[in-house]
Amino acid sequence: MKKYRLSRDGKTLIVGKDSIVDRHLRFDGTVFAGILSSFWGNIEASEVKLAGRNFVGGSILCEKAIIGPKTEFNEIVAEGNVLIFPKCRGKFVKGDSVIIREGSVIGFVKANRIVIEGYAKIGRLEGGKIIVSKS
């Protein structure tokens, strides 16, 4: 079941909680998804914000991404910053600056600046500056 709506200014597409989007989603603006939403295709937007416990079967293609806790995704390709909250699982993340929080499991991360906060499992890192902090 799809539950979409536009914000009053028309710059944000809001996907309601418990929604299932079975096609590619392309929007010129911000995509915000509520908890427990599933995306079987790609998400293309200037900014992507996932609340948490989401599933993205395709790719997230954006300029900036904020991924909520316990989200599963295939890949994120961003031109700017990517923030991944705790206990997320993904195969590939690419961005200018990537911050990964505790408990996340990521296969491959490629960025100019990578910050890992707490214990996270990362298969392979490729970046200019890598900062690992223990919280």
Side-chain angles (χ1 to χ4, degrees):
M1 178 188 257
K2 296 179 239 181
K3 303 176 201 171
Y4 301 139
R5 71 175 195 263
L6 280 174
S7 63
R8 292 180 193 244
D9 61 1
K11 295 180 182 177
T12 303
L13 178 68
I14 301 166
V15 180
K17 68 177 188 174
D18 294 326
S19 292
I20 298 172
V21 180
D22 56 356
R23 299 171 190 227
H24 296 308
L25 181 63
R26 181 180 294 161
F27 185 71
D28 188 25
T30 302
V31 173
F32 178 79
I35 61 171
L36 299 169
S37 295
S38 296
F39 298 88
W40 294 102
N42 297 342
I43 302 173
E44 293 182 47
S46 59
E47 188 172 351
V48 175
K49 297 178 180 180
L50 304 179
R53 294 190 177 190
N54 299 106
F55 172 79
V56 181
S59 300
I60 299 172
L61 308 168
C62 59
E63 294 174 19
K64 182 179 174 183
I66 299 173
I67 310 300
K70 298 182 180 179
T71 295
E72 292 186 36
F73 58 89
N74 189 24
E75 71 174 354
I76 299 171
V77 179
E79 295 174 15
N81 301 337
V82 178
L83 174 59
I84 299 174
F85 278 89
K87 299 182 181 176
C88 289
R89 300 175 78 75
K91 294 180 183 174
F92 178 73
V93 177
K94 181 181 183 236
D96 182 50
S97 176
V98 176
I99 299 173
I100 301 170
R101 297 272 168 87
E102 184 173 7
S104 294
V105 179
I106 311 291
F108 179 48
V109 179
K110 182 177 182 178
N112 292 330
R113 180 175 167 257
I114 302 169
V115 178
I116 302 170
E117 297 178 358
Y119 179 74
K121 292 183 181 179
I122 312 292
R124 190 172 131 200
L125 293 171
E126 185 178 317
K129 186 173 188 178
I130 300 171
I131 300 168
V132 179
S133 69
K134 185 172 122 179
S135 0

